[in-house]
Amino acid sequence: MTAYSYDLHPTWRPAVIPPVRAASTPAAQPRLGPGKPLRYGTLLGPALLLFYWTVLSATGWLDPRILPAPWTAVTTATELIRDGRLQDNLAVSAGRAMAGLGVGVVVGATLAVLSGLSLLGGYVIDGLVQIKRGIPTLALIPFMILWLGIGEGMKVTLIATAVFFPVYINTHNALRAIDIRHVELAETVRLSRWQFLRHVVIPGSLPGFLTGLRFGVTSSWLALVVVEQLNATSGIGYMVTLARNYAQSDVMLVGLVVYALLGFGSDALVRQIERRALRWRRTLGR
């Protein structure tokens, strides 16, 4: 067997590479990403819509009998505010929507946790929810009236039903999508049930819950439009219905604009909450 020897220089030392300091500047946007976000970028779409609406109305391309001009809506809204009609009806509508939203979010999130963390709960709850998903919410209105009457209870319940499903489905899917390795690690370090919920379940389900909340907020305003057509004596929907009976297209337009602003504003609020709550995630949106 032949022996080999290596004669290394006695003064040789490995080269020491100085550590690379992290750059103080923010990371550059990926080349294939959507680009750098704008501060008020979400207002770009509504601003363009308002611009085209104004131009078409001013040039006569848009018949005011079909859709009144923006300045007509502003004038009518000013008169309604001066009379007190707009703010009074808006307060009633907002109260109905917030009550239904609160009930729907609490019930949807609670049942999603019970169904997502328990096989037995999933078999019982999720099956019933999927059956109800196939039934349109509007089809339940006659039964809601039969069971609850035609008062505020029925209206709030119908709004809560519309909010419940997006909150439940998105939260449930997020819970079932939690990485099993996180659960195994929690068992390895012997986390308690409360610690498991705090450190694994809540962070894992929060993105899905907030997505469901965005859909739920929009659903609450859509359901509000429907319920305020049913024997209502106040609210934005009642104001629109009354204006339709008297062919007041300008008042109807004001009601639609109010609904649009409520939906857009509430969605922007939830998106801001989502951005702050999930700031630890790096996504294409930020």
Side-chain angles (χ1 to χ4, degrees):
M1 185 174 183
T2 305
Y4 297 92
S5 63
Y6 300 92
D7 185 14
L8 300 178
H9 197 281
T11 61
W12 179 85
R13 294 289 186 274
V16 178
I17 302 176
V20 179
R21 295 182 179 180
S24 58
T25 58
Q29 290 292 324
R31 181 177 60 87
L32 300 179
K36 185 178 180 180
L38 300 176
R39 186 173 183 181
Y40 300 105
T42 54
L43 299 177
L44 181 59
L48 288 175
L49 176 62
L50 180 61
F51 172 75
Y52 290 134
W53 182 16
T54 303
V55 170
L56 293 175
S57 298
T59 56
W61 284 87
L62 190 60
D63 191 342
R65 293 173 298 181
I66 298 176
L67 184 64
W71 49 87
T72 303
V74 173
T75 303
T76 304
T78 304
E79 295 176 357
L80 291 173
I81 293 174
R82 188 181 300 114
D83 296 339
R85 293 171 55 192
L86 184 59
Q87 54 266 42
D88 292 344
N89 288 309
L90 178 58
V92 173
S93 295
R96 288 171 180 157
M98 292 300 102
L101 178 66
V103 174
V105 168
V106 171
V107 176
T110 302
L111 293 184
V113 171
L114 295 176
S115 177
L117 299 181
S118 170
L119 283 178
L120 180 59
Y123 294 147
V124 176
I125 298 173
D126 195 59
L128 294 175
V129 171
Q130 298 308 322
I131 290 175
K132 168 57 189 71
R133 260 185 90 189
I135 304 175
T137 303
L138 295 180
L140 293 177
I141 291 179
F143 290 97
M144 291 281 188
I145 296 175
L146 182 63
W147 299 333
L148 303 174
I150 206 165
E152 291 297 315
M154 182 274 297
K155 296 178 176 62
V156 172
T157 302
L158 195 64
I159 296 172
T161 303
V163 172
F164 166 82
F165 289 100
V167 172
Y168 171 87
I169 292 170
N170 286 278
T171 306
H172 180 269
N173 288 344
L175 285 169
R176 289 299 175 92
I178 293 177
D179 197 331
I180 190 63
R181 292 174 296 181
H182 297 165
V183 181
E184 294 172 349
L185 179 61
E187 294 177 347
T188 301
V189 299
R190 299 183 180 277
L191 292 183
S192 65
R193 176 66 66 175
W194 167 246
Q195 291 174 327
F196 173 68
L197 291 174
R198 179 183 176 184
H199 297 291
V200 178
V201 172
I202 294 178
S205 61
L206 192 58
F209 169 76
L210 291 174
T211 301
L213 182 60
R214 284 187 63 188
F215 284 105
V217 168
T218 304
S219 299
S220 67
W221 297 117
L222 295 177
L224 179 68
V225 177
V226 176
V227 299
E228 288 191 336
Q229 311 290 324
L230 304 174
N231 197 38
T233 58
S234 58
I236 299 297
Y238 168 75
M239 186 181 71
V240 172
T241 303
L242 199 63
R244 182 188 61 191
N245 296 335
Y246 291 98
Q248 296 174 326
S249 59
D250 53 345
V251 178
M252 294 169 57
L253 178 62
V254 170
L256 294 180
V257 170
V258 169
Y259 278 131
L261 292 177
L262 289 173
F264 181 80
S266 56
D267 180 75
L269 177 61
V270 176
R271 290 178 65 179
Q272 186 66 24
I273 295 173
E274 181 183 21
R275 188 175 295 109
R276 291 182 178 273
L278 303 179
R279 65 176 61 184
W280 49 270
R281 292 201 316 170
R282 290 194 62 194
T283 61
L284 287 177
R286 35 189 180 295

